Amino acid sequence: MTSDTNTCTNLPAAFAQRIAAQGSMLYGGDYNPEQWPEEVWHEDMRLFKQAGINEVTLNVFSWAQLQPSEDEYDFSKLDRIVDTVSKSGMSIVMATSTGALPAWMALRHPDVNRVDEKGRKMRHRERHNACINSPTFRKYSVALAGKLAERYGSLPNLVAWHVGNEYGGMCWCDTCAKAFRVWLERRYGTIEAVNEAWNSAFWSHTYHSFDEILPPNELGDMTSWGGKAILGGYSLDYQRFYGECVLDSYNEEKAAIRAFDSVNPVTTNMMGTFPTYDYFRWRSGFGGASVGEAADGAAVPSGVDIVSWDSYPRPTTPPANVAFCHELMRGVGGGGPWMLMEQTPSRQNWMAYNTQKRPGQMRELSWQAVAHGADTVQFFQLRQNRSGCEKFHGAVISSDGTNRTRAFRECAELGAELGRVSGRILGSRMAPARVALIFDWPSRWAIGLSAGPTISMDYVAEVQRWYTELHRRNVAVDIISSYDAIDQYDVVLAPCLYMMSDEVITRLRAFVTGGGRLLLTPLSALTDEHDSLYQGEIPVPLRDLTGVWAEETDALDPEQTVVPLRFADYTEESAAVAHELNKVASPHGRVLFDVLEPDEGTQVLATYGSEYYVGTPAFTFRPSAGNGGVFYAATFPDDAAMPLFVDAVLAGTGIAGLTDSPLVGTVDQPAEVCGCSDADASDDRGSGRTVTLEVTRRIADDGTTFTFVLNPANERVRVDLPGELAGHDLLSDEDVAAGPRMLEPFAVLVLETKTAA
């Protein structure tokens, strides 16, 4: 899982080795002691020790305290905080504090304030409040990062740098407009090339100079049809431009840090499927880019040295979707270890209903992150805020300031576990995958900006559905970008890969003709990188390899209409029998329906069972060299159809999960006994219901495997463990044999198996 031009350093591996030498993973999180009297700090240190906390992230939002004015800096309080933490034996992740502006800067230098999509000039406001192209912001953010690195970069207990915080949002001000014009001229060369790329003859949008181009906000390139773009290429280019500017700003701070610290990795906390920026371009050294010279003379690669991200699933978020985000973030980092920078010990504060994590759930979610490659477990926050809009967010130490809360006790129990066993897991990598799933931010943007073909299109959800079925089977999957190398895989899934550049097309064609299996769906291979439709029979650039022509596409409201699918060996009678015996629904297509004309030699695996296209292909396969070929899913399969689609894609490849079949447990008692909410249980609550358990694996350099078995449900389940899961459970320090076993709610097994000498 590497980019063709990726120049990643060994910093993630070095980071893992350095932390492993300390005996356990980093366990801690955001700590904001500037909110409390100093006597509280010392009590916090005592409680942190009890909880097994060994790391604190400092200085995330302290810019106003560190820099009271343009030429004045005051590090005295931060010095005392660092001294207190260091004397307590804690590791430090030092933030640059540039995630929120000081008020003096917003008032005296209005160029730092964003203009929103409605054209309104912001004032001091909330965090994420800087125009990323403001010369004032760039000047002072870089200066502060450098001063912090000069002052604290040689601390022996410093383990990482944290630039900004959860970068988010965009700006549409005049400064950004000027920068956008420069970006366009650099990218295209001439205004004629811009007009050609954007097809700006549409609606008389031809531009005769770069000065005529303004940021495409609601006052510009937006229709009245729910924020859709007039010229897709125009809005897409602004999205690309602004994302590059945010990365440039991060890189400037990173370069300032590297002038004083060549050792510790530099990162920023990402947010999973966050829509605004293409996180793959933040991979260290993407495209071979460097941003300066480090203190030791080495080139400084652009981007994050190690990926970190903030995981905040909702109470109703399916476990597979949480796992998907972990795998996506791992993919952003090129497959290496990553940091779970934030999660909540108990509850969030920004949802409509801020449900507490149930007993044991925080532990299970933490181990789930480790099971998918995390080498840290961190929280927001370590002590609850005194006031402000995050005062109701959960914390290790609540406002009572004691060790008696359930959240504290559970954090202490997890801290003891990690302290005991995590050192053995550190640095191990996820089991190699033969299946890759492409997640493409530009395609997501373009689909979202398009007026049509359906308001029910959710790019993230459709990609996740394919992952969910593979996750259910415990099949290892790498989530990659459209510009990553793919030759090492046997199967590549490219659902809704709407935009394909010439480079992507060339790579996919070589993959298929070389014997790989590729899956496409509706909205795949429709446009170039400027959102202009390819001219010809859809899917134009891969028409010969798919062996089908998508003549037209129907869109139906999935809440009102789904279309039955007929598989060669799946008749109405067999579907009825299966439903009666196993309560399995018959398969259907949903949302979009390509009407296909197959070429001779294209295998029809399923057909539509209703609508005017009844009997026409709904799922096809066109063989290529070896065992390869292209699968074309002409519709989005529902939950009953998805296993049949994936069966076909994997058939004959030898690709299997960590268990021969999905690991399913049976609920041992009614949900009420475990205190489950209605959202946790189906209508037929009680014994007999099933829970799909999650199984993943990490492998150490010496071949030792760590297999994670997780019960994501707040229910006791009986499960028959297959022989391939037998091993020594690190958490209970007991040998686990194959056979029947009871798993408690949110149970976790970490099964170690050593290679034979």
Side-chain angles (χ1 to χ4, degrees):
M1 192 198 309
T2 57
S3 174
D4 288 349
T5 53
N6 185 25
T7 58
C8 289
T9 70
N10 287 322
L11 273 170
F15 173 79
Q17 292 167 6
R18 183 177 173 194
I19 302 306
Q22 300 180 16
S24 69
M25 292 181 176
L26 292 184
Y27 183 57
D30 278 28
Y31 181 48
N32 304 288
E34 59 272 12
Q35 296 185 25
W36 298 280
E38 291 190 31
E39 56 269 22
V40 175
W41 305 353
H42 299 284
E43 175 63 9
D44 288 345
M45 296 302 109
R46 185 183 71 82
L47 292 174
F48 291 165
K49 288 284 188 182
Q50 287 185 19
I53 300 295
N54 61 22
E55 174 273 337
V56 294
T57 301
L58 299 175
N59 198 46
V60 177
F61 292 115
S62 303
W63 197 347
Q65 294 186 33
L66 298 178
Q67 189 176 6
S69 65
E70 286 88 343
D71 302 314
E72 182 183 0
Y73 291 90
D74 182 0
F75 296 101
S76 57
K77 178 173 280 190
L78 184 55
D79 284 345
R80 295 195 301 276
I81 292 169
V82 167
D83 184 62
T84 300
V85 168
S86 299
K87 286 179 177 177
S88 296
M90 304 279 176
S91 295
I92 294 173
V93 173
M94 182 65 74
T96 60
S97 208
T98 52
L101 296 169
W104 62 262
M105 192 182 298
L107 294 172
R108 297 178 201 164
H109 304 277
D111 66 287
V112 302
N113 297 318
R114 286 181 178 176
V115 170
D116 74 2
E117 65 277 9
K118 298 180 184 296
R120 300 174 300 183
K121 184 81 166 179
M122 300 293 101
R123 292 187 293 186
H124 184 221
R125 212 162 177 252
E126 58 181 331
R127 63 190 178 124
H128 309 316
N129 52 358
C131 166
I132 211 70
N133 291 305
S134 157
T136 302
F137 174 77
R138 293 289 188 97
K139 172 184 174 181
Y140 288 116
S141 62
V142 171
L144 180 58
K147 287 181 180 294
L148 287 164
E150 182 178 21
R151 194 174 192 91
Y152 303 111
S154 59
L155 283 173
N157 57 327
L158 183 69
V159 293
W161 288 94
H162 177 338
V163 174
N165 187 75
E166 290 185 338
Y167 283 103
M170 296 172 66
C171 178
W172 290 267
C173 71
D174 290 343
T175 301
C176 290
K178 292 176 184 176
F180 182 44
R181 295 178 195 123
V182 171
W183 184 90
L184 288 172
E185 190 164 8
R186 188 171 64 245
R187 181 179 176 92
Y188 292 104
T190 65
I191 193 64
E192 290 78 13
V194 172
N195 285 319
E196 175 62 25
W198 294 354
N199 188 34
S200 58
F202 178 78
W203 280 8
S204 191
H205 271 56
T206 300
Y207 298 99
H208 299 285
S209 75
F210 286 100
D211 289 340
E212 295 179 5
I213 298 174
L214 297 169
N217 63 358
E218 289 187 14
L219 305 179
D221 187 53
M222 287 290 130
T223 71
S224 56
W225 309 332
K228 304 301 182 180
I230 296 172
L231 298 178
Y234 185 174
S235 288
L236 277 169
D237 271 345
Y238 196 79
Q239 191 96 38
R240 293 181 178 112
F241 151 77
Y242 201 83
E244 288 183 18
C245 294
V246 174
L247 179 55
D248 285 344
S249 178
Y250 164 90
N251 283 330
E252 287 181 355
E253 290 193 45
K254 179 179 181 177
I257 291 168
R258 280 285 172 258
F260 299 98
D261 182 353
S262 304
V263 176
N264 293 297
V266 181
T267 189
T268 189
N269 46 341
M270 298 176 174
M271 294 175 284
T273 59
F274 183 71
T276 312
Y277 315 129
D278 182 350
Y279 281 146
F280 282 109
R281 292 187 175 271
W282 289 65
R283 184 183 295 167
S284 179
F286 181 86
S290 63
V291 296
E293 191 173 282
D296 62 359
V300 178
S302 66
V304 295
D305 297 321
I306 186 169
V307 166
S308 65
W309 92 280
D310 300 347
S311 180
Y312 290 107
R314 296 177 180 273
T316 55
T317 301
N321 288 7
V322 182
F324 174 90
C325 288
H326 291 327
E327 294 296 352
L328 175 61
M329 294 290 93
R330 181 173 68 87
V332 166
W338 52 274
M339 302 173 72
L340 177 63
M341 184 66 81
E342 290 185 23
Q343 63 171 338
T344 178
S346 51
R347 66 179 180 186
Q348 281 93 254
N349 71 298
W350 39 266
M351 296 179 181
Y353 302 98
N354 293 290
T355 304
Q356 293 281 355
K357 288 181 177 176
R358 279 8 194 185
Q361 190 174 19
M362 179 276 295
R363 172 181 179 261
E364 187 269 337
L365 287 170
S366 299
W367 278 113
Q368 184 189 31
V370 174
H372 287 275
D375 270 2
T376 75
V377 175
Q378 296 161 275
F379 299 106
F380 178 82
Q381 50 194 336
L382 295 188
R383 175 180 269 274
Q384 189 174 352
N385 285 310
R386 292 173 58 192
S387 59
C389 62
E390 292 184 313
K391 65 181 179 293
F392 288 126
H393 197 288
V396 176
I397 303 173
S398 300
S399 57
D400 59 88
T402 74
N403 60 1
R404 299 198 305 273
T405 64
R406 176 173 67 88
F408 185 93
R409 293 195 307 273
E410 291 195 17
C411 288
E413 290 164 2
L414 177 59
E417 275 187 347
L418 291 171
R420 191 174 70 253
V421 307
S422 67
R424 292 157 75 171
I425 302 168
L426 272 171
S428 59
R429 296 175 72 92
M430 298 299 295
R434 295 171 59 191
V435 179
L437 175 64
I438 293 177
F439 186 94
D440 188 58
W441 264 279
S443 288
R444 176 188 186 179
W445 299 334
I447 291 170
L449 288 166
S450 294
T454 173
I455 64 169
S456 293
M457 180 60 213
D458 183 333
Y459 174 83
V460 174
E462 294 306 331
V463 176
Q464 283 179 331
R465 289 172 64 82
W466 291 92
Y467 175 83
T468 295
E469 176 58 21
L470 293 162
H471 175 271
R472 185 181 73 89
R473 300 170 185 233
N474 303 313
V475 171
V477 181
D478 285 343
I479 299 179
I480 64 172
S481 74
S482 62
Y483 25 83
D484 276 326
I486 55 178
D487 356 352
Q488 69 268 41
Y489 301 105
D490 297 298
V491 173
V492 171
L493 308 178
C496 310
L497 187 56
Y498 172 81
M499 302 178 70
M500 289 190 185
S501 66
D502 289 344
E503 179 185 355
V504 171
I505 293 164
T506 298
R507 186 179 296 116
L508 292 176
R509 292 186 69 87
F511 175 73
V512 172
T513 57
R517 291 188 171 195
L518 173 67
L519 171 104
L520 301 176
T521 70
L523 296 182
S524 291
L526 289 188
T527 76
D528 64 14
E529 63 268 38
H530 308 295
D531 196 29
S532 288
L533 290 169
Y534 284 113
Q535 300 300 293
E537 295 183 352
I538 296 170
V540 180
L542 301 174
R543 170 69 177 86
D544 57 326
L545 296 182
T546 59
V548 294
W549 170 29
E551 181 186 359
E552 56 185 4
T553 301
D554 194 16
L556 300 174
D557 181 350
E559 298 299 319
Q560 301 293 326
T561 307
V562 292
V563 175
L565 302 178
R566 302 288 180 258
F567 288 78
D569 56 352
Y570 200 86
T571 64
E572 285 280 5
E573 292 75 18
S574 65
V577 171
H579 179 72
E580 183 61 31
L581 294 179
N582 304 309
K583 304 301 181 185
V584 175
S586 57
H588 290 80
R590 32 179 292 285
V591 183
L592 291 176
F593 307 86
D594 286 347
V595 182
L596 302 183
E597 285 192 20
D599 296 339
E600 184 178 353
T602 298
Q603 300 171 17
V604 177
L605 306 179
T607 58
Y608 293 118
S610 68
E611 300 298 329
Y612 70 89
Y613 32 86
V614 62
T616 65
F619 186 34
T620 63
F621 177 62
R622 179 74 171 192
S624 69
N627 199 28
V630 179
F631 290 89
Y632 196 95
T635 182
F636 298 141
D638 68 0
D639 290 347
M642 183 63 80
L644 302 174
F645 279 59
V646 172
D647 281 345
V649 172
L650 298 184
T653 64
I655 296 172
L658 296 174
T659 54
D660 287 339
S661 59
L663 187 61
V664 177
T666 303
V667 174
D668 183 58
Q669 58 188 17
E672 291 89 343
V673 176
C674 291
C676 297
S677 66
D678 288 342
D680 298 321
S682 61
D683 290 336
D684 53 339
R685 300 161 67 147
S687 298
R689 289 186 301 109
T690 59
V691 171
T692 300
L693 307 181
E694 181 175 354
V695 183
T696 57
R697 179 169 292 159
R698 293 177 61 160
I699 304 175
D701 289 342
D702 65 0
T704 301
T705 64
F706 303 96
T707 303
F708 300 81
V709 180
L710 301 103
N711 173 16
N714 189 18
E715 306 184 271
R716 298 175 75 219
V717 296
R718 294 184 181 275
V719 62
D720 192 8
L721 286 181
E724 56 263 38
L725 295 186
H728 184 76
D729 179 26
L730 296 182
L731 304 185
S732 65
D733 197 23
E734 295 177 351
D735 289 335
V736 173
R741 188 176 185 87
M742 180 71 72
L743 294 179
E744 296 299 317
F746 301 120
V748 178
L749 303 176
V750 182
L751 303 170
E752 181 183 48
T753 305
K754 295 185 178 294
T755 55

